């Protein structure tokens, strides 16, 4: 990317000033007119724009006004002739960073450009810091964890949160799809507007269109007044459609049109309503497979599948279990005005021994019960874990080793090579331990296929 766009209709001037700036270590792209520069600005944004005031077609002053509308913090330096001083003064009032009168010394140009670049970089750095600070200070749920999948998920959320792109979330029940949707909303410029969530599987089929799109009085039997649907209520904000695979086919057709046109019509109305919303859909099934089998519209799947975020199950986040449980303990303790106790070793062992089919939601509920009852209950592996307390140290170590190997195989979808790398074991050592614990790698590959 070029640091500077230089615009002048005189070829000799362009060439001379490009050499001057490049000798000073500043990369330059030159243009003969403002229109060409604007076309390139749609692709990349330089740190500084330098333009002659008098240009064929769009003038440098009009270019300045356009650039200030698009990005007021972009430094624009004007090159002026002697008779353009009054125009240059007006341009400074309109937001120009500096103006340089012809003829000028090369050092005058390079010094002005270097200061402008420093200003732009400082502005961009402040924007980045402010965005990061807002993300940290935003009230609401947090995506906690240090495993690679969660770190990458947080990075992806930060990257796409403030874009207009619709998002598809894929993850098992309880992995935190609504939490991710709220995080996307809170880190976007839409956070001051409504976040509207609806579970498509929880609304009766005969009511879902009215619930989503709204209706006018008399649209159907029982419609005694106008109703604003979830789409309209989310105007300016974010609409979260959970379990979208459960949406009836007729509603899917209307959703596809809304995604394409960004307009809707209430039931019983012919008036189109313009929508300014972001849609985040979530599913726990393979929508591509559902589309191939006719259960879900294929065109809707491809329209939703612009950006897909995959949420890992808790069994693939072994290192996050303790920190997540501790977080939920503190939240529950504050809610019920109780102290958050330290977990004894046997309870930690119980947490790590459980496979968490209900994922993070199950872990959160376990933490709440722990605060209320003072013990872990409702986990299928509790009795098994407590039984290990009667074993000697060697037996407990072997049992724990088996758990670690099984969890690694699960996260690696049965791949021996990946499991070796994750556990830092030689192939023969891993095979010996799997044979000792009677672990069949094929079972984990079959589980991955399912």
């Amino acid at each position: 990317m070029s640091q500077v766009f230089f615009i002048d209709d005189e070829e000799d001037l362009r060439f001379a000033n490009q050499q001057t700036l490049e000798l000073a270590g500043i990369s330059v792209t030159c243009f003969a007119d403002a229109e060409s520069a604007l076309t390139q600005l749609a692709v990349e944004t330089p740190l500084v724009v330098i333009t002659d005031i008098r240009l064929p077609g769009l003038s440098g002053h009009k270019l300045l006004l356009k650039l200030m509308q698009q990005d007021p913090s972009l430094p624009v330096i004007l090159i002026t002739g002697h008779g353009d001083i009054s125009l240059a003064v007006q341009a400074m009032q309109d937001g120009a960073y500096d103006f340089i009168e012809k003829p000028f010394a090369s050092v005058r140009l390079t010094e002005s450009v270097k200061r402008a670049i420093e200003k732009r970089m400082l502005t961009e750095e402040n924007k980045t810091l402010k965005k990061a600070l807002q993300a940290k200070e935003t009230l609401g749920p947090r995506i906690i964890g240090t495993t690679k999948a969660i770190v990458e998920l947080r990075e992806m959320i930060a990257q796409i949160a403030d874009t207009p792109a619709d998002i598809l979330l894929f993850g098992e029940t309880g992995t935190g799809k609504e939490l991710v949707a709220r995080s996307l909303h809170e880190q976007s410029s839409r956070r001051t507007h409504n976040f509207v969530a609806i579970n498509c599987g929880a609304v009766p089929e005969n009511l879902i269109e009215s619930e989503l799109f709204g209706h006018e009085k008399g649209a159907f039997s029982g419609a005694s007044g106008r109703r604003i649907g979830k789409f309209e209520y989310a105007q300016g904000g974010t609409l979260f459609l959970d379990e979208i695979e459960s949406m009836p086919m007729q509603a899917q057709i209307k959703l596809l049109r809304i995604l394409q046109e960004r307009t809707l019509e209430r039931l019983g109305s012919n008036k189109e309503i313009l929508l300014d919303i972001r849609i985040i859909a979530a599913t726990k099934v393979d929508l591509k497979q559902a589309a191939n089998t006719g259960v879900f519209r294929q065109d809707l799947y491809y329209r939703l599948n612009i950006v897909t975020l995959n949420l890992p199950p808790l069994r693939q986040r072994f290192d996050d279990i303790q920190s997540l449980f501790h977080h939920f303990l503190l939240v529950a303790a504050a809610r019920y005005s109780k102290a958050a106790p330290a977990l004894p070793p046997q309870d930690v062992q119980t947490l790590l021994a459980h496979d968490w089919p209900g994922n993070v939601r199950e872990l959160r509920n376990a933490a709440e019960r722990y605060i209320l009852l003072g013990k872990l209950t409702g986990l299928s592996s509790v009795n098994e874990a407590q039984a290990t307390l009667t074993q000697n140290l060697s037996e407990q170590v072997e049992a724990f080793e088996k758990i670690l190997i099984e969890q690694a195989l699960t996260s690696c979808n049965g791949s021996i090579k990946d499991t070796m790398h994750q556990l830092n074991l030689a192939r023969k050592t891993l095979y010996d331990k799997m044979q000792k614990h009677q672990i069949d790698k094929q079972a984990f590959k079959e589980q991955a296929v399912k």
Side-chain angles (χ1 to χ4, degrees):
M1 184 185 81
S2 296
Q3 294 173 292
V4 171
F5 279 8
F6 188 95
I7 310 162
D8 199 299
D9 59 330
E10 295 183 35
E11 185 176 358
D12 292 344
L13 239 165
R14 290 199 305 272
F15 180 73
N17 286 300
Q18 181 175 9
Q19 279 195 321
T20 296
L21 292 171
E22 289 182 345
L23 284 171
I26 300 167
S27 59
V28 183
T29 300
C30 291
F31 302 91
D33 53 67
E35 289 80 2
S36 300
L38 281 173
T39 300
Q40 188 61 25
L41 278 162
V43 180
E44 63 171 311
T45 304
L47 299 176
V48 181
V49 172
I50 306 170
T51 180
D52 193 3
I53 279 189
R54 297 194 180 277
L55 293 169
L58 190 69
S59 71
H61 187 211
K62 288 183 178 177
L63 173 63
L64 167 71
L65 296 176
K66 281 183 173 291
L67 294 178
M68 289 302 97
Q69 285 181 342
Q70 295 174 7
D71 185 355
S73 66
L74 177 64
V76 179
I77 299 172
L78 299 175
I79 297 175
T80 69
H82 180 68
D84 298 326
I85 297 300
S86 60
L87 188 57
V89 171
Q90 178 60 49
M92 293 290 286
Q93 295 174 352
D94 291 333
Y97 174 76
D98 194 6
F99 72 89
I100 302 174
E101 186 180 358
K102 297 177 184 177
F104 52 85
S106 59
V107 66
R108 170 77 172 90
L109 177 65
T110 54
E111 286 181 355
S112 180
V113 172
K114 284 180 179 179
R115 288 196 305 271
I117 287 175
E118 288 177 4
K119 177 180 181 291
R120 177 66 169 181
M121 292 179 71
L122 183 62
T123 301
E124 292 301 306
E125 185 179 354
N126 286 340
K127 283 182 182 177
T128 302
L129 290 172
K130 186 177 180 181
K131 188 174 180 180
L133 185 62
Q134 286 175 340
K136 288 181 180 179
E137 292 184 348
T138 302
L139 295 176
R142 295 289 179 271
I143 300 173
I144 297 168
T146 57
T147 54
K148 182 182 178 182
I150 290 299
V151 171
E152 290 176 349
L153 178 63
R154 280 200 299 265
E155 290 173 351
M156 183 66 78
I157 289 170
Q159 184 176 345
I160 65 174
D162 207 18
T163 68
D166 297 325
I167 309 293
L168 179 63
L169 306 179
F170 174 74
E172 296 178 6
T173 298
T175 48
K177 295 187 287 291
E178 183 168 344
L179 181 145
V180 170
R182 287 186 180 275
S183 184
L184 285 163
H185 174 75
E186 290 170 356
Q187 293 184 49
S188 75
S189 55
R190 296 180 178 274
R191 59 183 167 274
T192 56
H193 298 278
N194 289 337
F195 175 87
V196 181
I198 182 168
N199 188 312
C200 300
V203 183
E205 185 172 344
N206 62 327
L207 296 179
I208 192 164
E209 289 192 42
S210 172
E211 189 72 19
L212 290 175
F213 313 124
H215 64 252
E216 297 289 348
K217 181 179 180 180
F220 52 83
S221 178
S224 57
R226 172 184 289 177
R227 175 180 172 81
I228 301 299
K230 299 297 186 184
F231 278 89
E232 266 189 273
Y233 189 60
Q235 190 75 279
T238 303
L239 178 65
F240 175 55
L241 300 172
D242 198 7
E243 295 191 17
I244 195 167
E245 72 277 4
S246 304
M247 182 177 283
M249 194 60 69
Q250 188 62 32
Q252 290 182 33
I253 296 170
K254 290 193 174 184
L255 174 59
L256 177 63
R257 184 177 180 276
I258 288 173
L259 287 168
Q260 293 172 336
E261 306 296 333
R262 296 292 164 172
T263 62
L264 70 77
E265 294 177 6
R266 299 191 196 109
L267 296 178
S269 171
N270 294 320
K271 181 182 177 182
E272 285 194 340
I273 299 168
L274 290 174
L275 291 176
D276 174 24
I277 61 173
R278 182 195 216 171
I279 294 174
I280 301 175
T283 180
K284 61 179 181 293
V285 305
D286 185 341
L287 281 188
K288 185 175 184 179
Q289 184 179 353
N292 290 337
T293 56
V295 178
F296 195 81
R297 285 188 65 91
Q298 198 168 52
D299 47 4
L300 179 55
Y301 163 70
Y302 286 115
R303 182 60 184 79
L304 286 170
N305 192 31
I306 299 173
V307 179
T308 300
L309 299 183
N310 293 300
L311 281 64
L314 190 55
R315 64 181 174 274
Q316 294 179 10
R317 301 174 56 191
F318 184 78
D319 294 338
D320 290 339
I321 291 174
Q322 283 185 256
S323 58
L324 279 167
F325 191 80
H326 179 68
H327 169 76
F328 292 136
L329 274 183
L330 295 176
V331 172
R335 179 182 301 168
Y336 298 116
S337 300
K338 291 177 174 286
L343 246 62
Q346 61 266 33
D347 285 341
V348 173
Q349 189 177 27
T350 299
L351 291 177
L352 299 180
H354 191 52
D355 58 359
W356 301 106
N359 293 297
V360 178
R361 182 182 295 140
E362 183 185 5
L363 185 69
R364 183 190 62 204
N365 292 342
E368 289 209 12
R369 288 195 299 270
Y370 197 90
I371 289 295
L372 293 171
L373 305 176
K375 60 181 179 179
L376 287 175
T377 61
L379 303 183
S380 60
S381 58
V382 169
N383 292 334
E384 296 172 11
Q386 288 178 342
T388 63
L389 299 178
T390 62
Q391 298 173 335
N392 60 39
L393 178 61
S394 176
E395 290 171 332
Q396 290 189 51
V397 168
E398 287 194 4
F400 192 62
E401 181 181 74
K402 180 181 179 182
I403 291 169
L404 291 178
I405 294 172
E406 288 178 337
Q407 288 177 336
L409 283 165
T410 299
S411 65
C412 297
N413 296 328
S415 168
I416 294 297
K417 182 179 178 182
D418 292 343
T419 304
M420 286 164 49
H421 179 72
Q422 183 170 320
L423 297 177
N424 195 22
L425 290 176
R427 182 181 294 270
K428 185 178 185 306
T429 305
L430 177 59
Y431 272 119
D432 288 345
K433 290 182 180 295
M434 288 172 63
Q435 185 176 8
K436 179 178 69 173
H437 297 302
Q438 297 181 337
I439 298 173
D440 180 10
K441 69 174 182 180
Q442 193 60 37
F444 296 91
K445 289 186 176 180
E446 292 171 357
Q447 182 177 336
V449 172
K450 293 177 184 178

